Amino acid sequence: MAEISIQVNGRQQKHEAEPRTHLGDFIREKSRLTGTNLSCEHGVCGACTVLVDGRPVRSCITFAGACDGHEVTTVEGYNDDPIMSRLRTAFSEKHALQCGFCTPGMLATSRDIVLRLPDADEARVRIELSGNICRCTGYQGITAAILSVLQALRDQPDAQIEALRAAVVQDVQQDWTQNGFTTFEAVQEEVQAPAPVAAAPAASGSADKGKGQAIQGGFEARFPADQVWAFMKDLPKVAGCLPGAIIESQEGATVQGKIAIKFGPMSAAFKGNATLEEDNDRRAAVLRGEGVDSLSQSRARGDVSYQVLPDGDDRSRVEVELVYSLQGPLAQFSRSGLVQDFVRRMIAEFGKNVNLRLEKPLAEGEEPVVAEFNPVKMFFSILWDRFKGLFRRS
Ligand code: FES
Ligand code: FES
């Protein structure tokens, strides 16, 4: 047990809690503030959203210990908030709630929209709300309520709210610069822009981190660098080593196909295309891909950069970096540590398959046989490792 001290709604709350206690349980069970609702408890529904230091956070996937020394605001603590007072009235007028289960989380997210996006239109409001699920209202009333608050503030600006907005703009910009996040507008422009002419791989062999989350990994190959490079620039062979990937057609350096991903609660099948750009001098390449999951309509983009480095005469090491972005319902998973562990292990699986193929090259017309991949086993193995890590830390 550890002593955790959090300022909840302006009052210091100091309680003993286990390191694994999430903020939602801390608020409900230790602080006895039951206005925050828990539903999915894995970051999907948004019902548990509260403000931590003024920013919306899913309390079910935030450790209480990580909030030690910080300020948390729950639905019980918005009485003096000028934006929330307008939102509450608007929610009531526009019939933005029915059973009310989602409402504490909806209000926290709505406040964030009003703060950050004074000019948001209906489409943007709906996108911003996509991380909060309501089973009753159909979202019409919620969207109308937020739009009415935004319009009222445009018609008649409020000095107190303008000051809050100015502070948040500065805060968010600083955070985004530090973390290399891409703005919504930049991503939207990129999506709408005509496909760029493929550029040569960057000299450093790493992709532009401004495009999304970056994960590094790598694997050892039991073969000389030139042999591994000859394999790694052959697109169908590379794709054939990616667990769950299927190539449907190829034209030059571009392939069409799909990749199926199953990991715990997340399951998706992205269909799209990928292009390989190679740099023979450096034995480096970038595989640029994008696709859409037909079920969730989530869109994924990713650049896999890799470079084959000699390790003595007979062996080599392949350094891999994945820079990816997810849009749509699956975006909520994109930064989770579990997903990052998953990608690193996928890279290791990929390495196993590359070694296997180099050891036993396919005969003409032979169907590829890759090392067996078990996503369920991998999911539980990652969870187990994290569980053990928890005890090591405590
Ligand atoms: S309960 Fe936290 S997101 Fe669903
Ligand atoms: S009002 Fe019932 S879940 Fe949203």
Side-chain angles (χ1 to χ4, degrees):
M1 298 286 258
E3 189 177 80
I4 297 170
S5 177
I6 302 174
Q7 186 157 329
V8 184
N9 301 335
R11 297 181 62 179
Q12 205 61 39
Q13 299 277 341
K14 206 181 272 188
H15 300 287
E16 292 274 313
E18 292 181 56
R20 68 183 171 86
T21 305
H22 64 55
L23 181 61
D25 277 349
F26 185 93
I27 292 166
R28 290 178 59 88
E29 293 172 11
K30 304 288 182 182
S31 304
R32 300 284 176 192
L33 292 167
T34 53
T36 299
N37 290 326
L38 291 167
S39 180
C40 68
E41 293 199 61
H42 57 253
V44 174
C45 72
C48 65
T49 309
V50 297
L51 303 182
V52 176
D53 295 336
R55 294 189 193 187
V57 159
R58 278 152 212 266
S59 61
C60 71
I61 51 170
T62 303
F63 285 126
C67 301
D68 190 64
H70 291 263
E71 287 178 23
V72 170
T73 311
T74 70
V75 71
E76 294 94 340
Y78 293 131
N79 280 351
D80 300 326
D81 186 272
I83 299 177
M84 206 52 95
S85 116
R86 286 171 182 256
L87 281 168
R88 281 175 163 161
T89 307
F91 265 53
S92 170
E93 283 173 2
K94 304 287 181 188
H95 310 291
L97 68 155
Q98 200 171 317
C99 77
F101 190 86
C102 68
T103 310
M106 282 291 181
L107 283 170
T109 302
S110 305
R111 181 184 184 276
D112 183 59
I113 296 171
V114 172
L115 256 184
R116 281 190 303 112
L117 303 164
D119 300 319
D121 59 7
E122 182 179 341
R124 182 67 189 266
V125 167
R126 285 180 179 274
I127 288 169
E128 294 287 329
L129 280 176
S130 62
N132 288 68
I133 294 172
C134 173
R135 62 193 164 184
C136 308
T137 63
Y139 306 97
Q140 195 61 40
I142 299 170
T143 310
I146 297 169
L147 286 171
S148 74
V149 171
L150 286 169
Q151 188 58 51
L153 286 170
R154 282 194 289 266
D155 293 345
Q156 202 165 0
D158 175 308
Q160 209 182 347
I161 294 175
E162 288 308 312
L164 288 171
R165 280 175 166 169
V168 97
V169 165
Q170 199 181 11
D171 196 26
V172 167
Q173 267 172 0
Q174 189 182 359
D175 196 22
W176 283 30
T177 312
Q178 273 168 7
N179 290 294
F181 294 158
T182 307
T183 62
F184 177 87
E185 287 76 13
V187 172
Q188 205 174 30
E189 259 173 41
E190 203 185 327
V191 169
Q192 285 164 357
V197 178
S204 66
S206 67
D208 176 7
K209 293 183 182 61
K211 287 182 179 171
Q213 299 296 308
I215 301 175
Q216 284 87 19
F219 60 90
E220 308 293 333
R222 302 183 292 275
F223 300 88
D226 283 339
Q227 190 181 346
V228 176
W229 172 239
F231 182 92
M232 293 293 291
K233 62 182 184 173
D234 185 320
L235 192 45
K237 283 183 183 165
V238 169
C241 291
L242 282 169
I246 295 171
I247 290 188
E248 291 169 338
S249 65
Q250 180 180 7
E251 207 179 311
T254 301
V255 287
Q256 301 274 342
K258 57 188 170 191
I259 183 158
I261 295 166
K262 172 122 190 67
F263 182 60
M266 186 176 107
S267 164
F270 290 97
K271 196 170 163 51
N273 57 59
T275 303
L276 190 71
E277 301 162 15
E278 57 189 63
D279 178 343
N280 277 304
D281 294 342
R282 295 174 45 246
R283 298 193 198 93
V286 185
L287 182 64
R288 301 189 193 281
E290 59 182 326
V292 177
D293 172 36
S294 56
L295 197 62
S296 66
Q297 289 303 309
S298 297
R299 177 179 285 272
R301 283 168 165 252
D303 289 355
V304 186
S305 306
Y306 51 84
Q307 184 169 20
V308 183
L309 301 167
D311 180 11
D313 290 342
D314 305 336
R315 298 177 68 88
S316 47
R317 172 157 179 85
V318 182
E319 299 286 356
V320 182
E321 183 182 63
L322 168 67
V323 180
Y324 68 97
S325 65
L326 277 169
Q327 292 173 284
L330 292 179
Q332 62 207 307
F333 292 104
S334 66
R335 297 191 68 204
S336 105
L338 278 178
V339 168
Q340 303 203 5
D341 282 351
F342 172 73
V343 171
R344 284 199 187 93
R345 291 191 192 210
M346 286 280 281
I347 292 172
E349 286 294 320
F350 174 69
K352 253 197 245 174
N353 292 334
V354 169
N355 275 304
L356 190 76
R357 293 281 180 81
L358 282 163
E359 236 158 50
K360 294 182 192 159
L362 295 179
E364 191 70 30
E366 189 186 346
E367 280 298 308
V369 181
V370 295
E372 194 186 340
F373 170 64
N374 183 335
V376 177
K377 194 171 144 204
M378 184 192 280
F379 179 62
F380 283 107
S381 130
I382 289 173
L383 283 185
W384 176 238
D385 282 354
R386 293 202 145 221
F387 183 67
K388 286 190 290 186
L390 202 66
F391 279 92
R392 273 200 296 276
R393 279 199 295 279
S394 61

